[in-house]
Amino acid sequence: MSEVHVSRRARLRERCAAQDGPAGAALVTRPANIRYLTGCAPAGPAALLLSPEPRDVLLVPPGTAVSVPDESLRGCVLPATGGEPAVGAAELAARAGARSLAVEEHHLTVARHRALAAAAPRLRLTGLACAVEQQRLVKDEEEIAALRDAAEMTDQALGELLESILVGRTERHLALELDRRLVDHGAEGPAFPTSVATGSHAGIPGHRPTDRRVEEGDFLSVCLGARHLGYGCQVGRTFVVGTAPAAWQVELYDLVFAAQRAGREALLPGAEYGAVDRASRQVLEAAGYADGLRTGVGHGVGLEIREDPRLCPAAMGKLDACVPVTVEPGVHLPGRGGVRIDDTLVVRPQADGGPELLTITTKELLAL
Amino acid sequence: MSEVHVSRRARLRERCAAQDGPAGAALVTRPANIRYLTGCAPAGPAALLLSPEPRDVLLVPPGTAVSVPDESLRGCVLPATGGEPAVGAAELAARAGARSLAVEEHHLTVARHRALAAAAPRLRLTGLACAVEQQRLVKDEEEIAALRDAAEMTDQALGELLESILVGRTERHLALELDRRLVDHGAEGPAFPTSVATGSHAGIPGHRPTDRRVEEGDFLSVCLGARHLGYGCQVGRTFVVGTAPAAWQVELYDLVFAAQRAGREALLPGAEYGAVDRASRQVLEAAGYADGLRTGVGHGVGLEIREDPRLCPAAMGKLDACVPVTVEPGVHLPGRGGVRIDDTLVVRPQADGGPELLTITTKELLAL
């Protein structure tokens, strides 16, 4: 991955030079951005300094062990002498002759920003905006391969759960079992807290597992995803437990399935973010579930499980090829339960067969 | 807990009035601080506004379900109309006639601070500093009871693991099994990522579990803690696997044990933070392990697993009674392994029997 990281940093450096001139340095503090640019994932708060000279430096809290996959950074991972990586980086930039330092204002706290200004008073602090997040939007094939593997692990873990006996077990235990199975299949761990929701809880987005036990006739909705090489995916499915589903369950399921399909089919290069959301939302609204999609139909995935783009009504922008996103509509009927169906897909041109589905667990309504 | 939260907010309000006068409002955004002041733990980024008038308001992202244990806040948990709780709170404060708003500059990002200033231009933004963190330092008996219960769950989970067969199992799987056992015993989940380290990994602080398998003769060090009612504790133990320990293992263990005991015995009201660290550090240094304690011998625990006070050389301040802290020295010999011993204790006066040990799993060197 060494070359990849070098070229990612070169791209960011170019952008900074265009903005602040040749004496401009940049400071990256958001952990996912540091990982994207270096391959390193230090345990504590770290700071990556791109200074005018070619040697980039990653400052970490003293005593932090960091594995450095990128040869170009060997010997450039240093403990921050004052204990504060961002402050140490500002001092280093000033000593290296930088005139300005572009910082991630959406990540740096007010207090730390002030400490930076005090530590390097001659340095003009500017904003890096979301430059690295924008670079992260379109994935290369190596990143997509990591997501594809993560999805395979997730499908396997979910598939095994479906073969086990569910009635009488608690949401909490089912969630822990899914986590264990993710790791069994090679995941670094869950990419986000695994959600298992039964009965009246089913269909609540982000439901935190409780001690409620699975009962015959319940809707059971699960949402999980493996993290692999730092990349996380997301799959969500809803099942009926035990007997054949009731008529209202089939009806609700078919509706959410139709909304999810409409969203998936809208995923094409050039499609507006809001249009994907609208495609799915219209199906639910036409059936009288205007409240179904509260915050948007999906979002990007990558080194963070919820990253740009946001597929919601207010989002501005158009999809590119090679952008992985979720499509995850749902409906929850208070007191009765509900349905969610989540997939992770990669946007691909129609000529290449359209969106690539990474999470291939069946979306039939299974009675378990 | 309703009265507790009301009185905690009243205390903060008094402090703000003393600083910014009667027209000063305060904005709390750090999640652990919001939970401390309200009992609420919203899933997304939230904002608690204490305005000059008596009615406090908790703003949450639209679509967030929040359980409100505090009756005084019923009806005062509102969705942020613009989608940004902190910005919505600033607008609300301005409309309520506040002249100034004290914010948590160590938590608020530069970008959000600017959005606040733009949304409520007539409001003077001041700093709340770490006022809530300071309030959280000394725990009441209800908080200590939650920690005591968390410690009991943790001891039980660890005790069960010691009775099972360990040789041949991976660090990753042992960590997952500990997580499951924590939940079995009633924990909300692990308070921090469970660490299991064998062989040459043993004794590395915060070691992330790998696929290395436990072998005969290994040191095995584990570090885990239950979260219960939001409060997390920490226990760490080191064992020898299989056979009787080797001479170097016994020697290293006895040394770390002596350093840990020295730290525990220094935990008395009025003791300086640095003195607790020094008591433990001196034992290791005298044996030639000056690098043993890199970042301090321990830290406070509560709604966060790593909170004030920091028991490290540079920390200024003195221990109070009813402050729960960890004491967790360790030594790691690269390539060979090492020993860590972590306890959670509550500082108590000598007259009450001295420090109260919450994590009571034996500290004998067991051969498993």
Side-chain angles (χ1 to χ4, degrees):
Chain A
M1 290 286 274
S2 175
E3 281 170 35
V4 173
H5 298 129
V6 172
S7 81
R8 288 174 183 169
R9 294 201 299 274
R11 216 174 126 195
L12 183 62
R13 191 188 291 278
E14 271 169 38
R15 198 201 122 115
C16 294
Q19 177 187 306
D20 290 331
L27 179 65
V28 178
T29 48
R30 190 168 177 170
N33 290 346
I34 289 177
R35 182 158 192 173
Y36 178 77
L37 294 170
T38 66
C40 299
L48 173 67
L49 176 67
L50 307 189
S51 33
E53 55 182 83
R55 197 162 168 271
D56 300 326
V57 177
L58 179 64
L59 288 166
V60 298
T64 309
V66 185
S67 90
V68 184
D70 187 339
E71 278 163 35
S72 73
L73 268 187
R74 293 262 156 82
C76 301
V77 178
L78 307 172
T81 46
E84 272 276 6
V87 174
E91 289 168 347
L92 219 56
R95 279 206 298 275
R99 298 266 181 79
S100 66
L101 183 65
V103 302
E104 296 190 292
E105 295 179 332
H106 59 300
H107 180 261
L108 213 59
T109 65
V110 174
R112 194 152 286 145
H113 192 267
R114 192 176 295 141
L116 251 63
R122 296 206 184 149
L123 216 51
R124 191 166 50 90
L125 295 181
T126 65
L128 189 56
C130 291
V132 188
E133 283 84 353
Q134 277 162 30
Q135 267 185 247
R136 285 167 48 197
L137 212 54
V138 173
K139 270 71 176 175
D140 63 33
E141 286 303 323
E142 204 162 337
E143 294 180 280
I144 292 174
L147 280 167
R148 201 179 285 122
D149 289 344
E152 191 179 337
M153 295 166 188
T154 312
D155 281 325
Q156 285 172 331
L158 182 55
E160 287 172 1
L161 187 81
L162 301 186
E163 289 167 15
S164 65
I165 291 167
L166 300 170
V167 172
R169 297 171 70 195
T170 68
E171 294 173 352
R172 230 186 268 266
H173 274 101
L174 291 174
L176 282 165
E177 184 172 329
L178 284 166
D179 288 351
R180 187 177 60 76
R181 290 187 187 278
L182 286 176
V183 173
D184 275 342
H185 289 290
E188 288 156 9
F192 56 92
T194 296
S195 177
V196 175
T198 69
S200 62
H201 299 155
I204 298 177
H207 173 74
R208 299 181 193 170
T210 71
D211 289 325
R212 191 187 187 287
R213 289 176 194 279
V214 176
E215 293 173 19
E216 289 268 338
D218 271 0
F219 261 141
L220 169 68
S221 60
V222 301
C223 186
L224 72 157
R227 181 173 296 287
H228 175 60
L229 303 177
Y231 287 80
C233 73
Q234 180 174 332
V235 64
R237 292 291 183 267
T238 301
F239 311 98
V240 166
V241 176
T243 51
W248 72 274
Q249 290 178 319
V250 175
E251 198 178 318
L252 193 62
Y253 192 91
D254 287 348
L255 175 68
V256 174
F257 179 82
Q260 209 253 358
R261 190 177 49 203
R264 279 187 280 125
E265 289 173 353
L267 289 180
L268 287 170
E272 290 188 15
Y273 299 155
V276 181
D277 178 83
R278 204 155 51 239
S280 200
R281 189 177 296 271
Q282 280 169 345
V283 177
L284 297 182
E285 282 179 352
Y289 295 106
D291 291 345
L293 278 181
R294 285 183 297 198
T295 54
V297 77
H299 52 78
V301 296
L303 288 170
E304 289 172 293
I305 192 58
R306 189 173 270 279
E307 58 179 52
D308 290 335
R310 316 277 152 163
L311 303 180
C312 64
M316 299 293 285
K318 290 180 180 178
L319 286 175
D320 276 313
C322 300
V323 173
V325 295
T326 66
V327 175
E328 43 172 312
V331 171
H332 176 250
L333 309 178
R336 299 179 76 189
V339 176
R340 296 188 64 77
I341 305 175
D342 316 31
D343 275 317
T344 302
L345 307 99
V346 182
V347 177
R348 303 279 192 191
Q350 199 72 276
D352 295 351
E356 176 188 353
L357 181 67
L358 300 186
T359 45
I360 60 172
T361 296
T362 181
K363 288 189 280 283
E364 277 176 273
L365 176 54
L366 299 181
L368 304 173
Chain B
M1 289 284 275
S2 175
E3 280 171 36
V4 172
H5 297 129
V6 172
S7 81
R8 287 174 184 169
R9 294 200 298 274
R11 216 174 125 196
L12 182 62
R13 191 188 291 279
E14 271 170 37
R15 201 202 120 112
C16 295
Q19 177 187 306
D20 291 331
L27 178 65
V28 178
T29 48
R30 188 168 179 170
N33 290 346
I34 290 176
R35 182 156 192 176
Y36 178 77
L37 294 170
T38 66
C40 299
L48 173 67
L49 176 67
L50 307 189
S51 34
E53 56 183 82
R55 198 161 167 272
D56 301 325
V57 178
L58 179 63
L59 287 166
V60 298
T64 310
V66 185
S67 89
V68 184
D70 187 339
E71 278 163 36
S72 72
L73 269 185
R74 292 261 157 81
C76 301
V77 178
L78 307 172
T81 46
E84 273 276 7
V87 174
E91 290 168 346
L92 220 56
R95 279 206 299 276
R99 299 264 183 79
S100 65
L101 182 65
V103 302
E104 296 189 293
E105 296 179 333
H106 60 298
H107 180 262
L108 213 60
T109 65
V110 174
R112 194 152 286 145
H113 192 266
R114 192 175 295 141
L116 251 63
R122 294 208 184 148
L123 214 53
R124 190 166 52 91
L125 295 182
T126 64
L128 189 57
C130 292
V132 188
E133 283 83 352
Q134 278 161 29
Q135 268 185 246
R136 285 166 50 196
L137 211 56
V138 172
K139 271 72 176 174
D140 64 33
E141 286 304 323
E142 206 162 337
E143 295 180 280
I144 292 174
L147 281 168
R148 202 179 284 123
D149 289 345
E152 191 179 337
M153 295 166 187
T154 312
D155 281 325
Q156 285 172 331
L158 182 55
E160 287 172 1
L161 186 82
L162 301 187
E163 288 166 15
S164 64
I165 291 167
L166 300 170
V167 172
R169 298 171 69 194
T170 68
E171 293 173 354
R172 230 185 266 268
H173 273 101
L174 291 175
L176 282 165
E177 183 172 330
L178 283 167
D179 288 351
R180 188 179 57 77
R181 291 187 186 278
L182 286 177
V183 172
D184 276 342
H185 288 290
E188 287 155 9
F192 56 92
T194 296
S195 178
V196 175
T198 68
S200 62
H201 299 155
I204 298 177
H207 173 74
R208 298 181 193 171
T210 71
D211 288 327
R212 190 187 188 288
R213 289 177 194 277
V214 176
E215 294 173 17
E216 290 268 336
D218 272 0
F219 261 141
L220 169 68
S221 60
V222 300
C223 185
L224 72 157
R227 180 172 299 287
H228 174 61
L229 303 175
Y231 287 81
C233 73
Q234 181 175 330
V235 66
R237 293 290 185 268
T238 300
F239 311 99
V240 166
V241 176
T243 52
W248 74 274
Q249 290 179 317
V250 174
E251 199 179 315
L252 193 63
Y253 192 91
D254 286 350
L255 174 69
V256 175
F257 180 82
Q260 208 252 1
R261 188 177 52 201
R264 280 187 280 126
E265 288 174 353
L267 289 180
L268 287 169
E272 289 186 18
Y273 299 155
V276 180
D277 178 82
R278 204 154 52 238
S280 201
R281 188 176 294 271
Q282 280 170 345
V283 176
L284 298 182
E285 282 179 351
Y289 296 106
D291 289 347
L293 278 181
R294 286 184 297 199
T295 55
V297 77
H299 52 78
V301 296
L303 288 170
E304 289 171 293
I305 191 58
R306 189 174 270 277
E307 57 179 53
D308 289 335
R310 315 278 151 163
L311 304 179
C312 64
M316 299 294 285
K318 291 180 180 177
L319 285 175
D320 274 314
C322 300
V323 173
V325 294
T326 66
V327 176
E328 44 171 311
V331 171
H332 176 251
L333 308 179
R336 299 179 73 189
V339 176
R340 296 189 62 78
I341 305 175
D342 317 31
D343 275 317
T344 302
L345 307 98
V346 182
V347 177
R348 302 281 193 189
Q350 200 71 275
D352 294 351
E356 177 187 353
L357 181 68
L358 299 186
T359 46
I360 59 171
T361 295
T362 181
K363 287 187 282 283
E364 275 176 273
L365 176 53
L366 298 182
L368 303 173

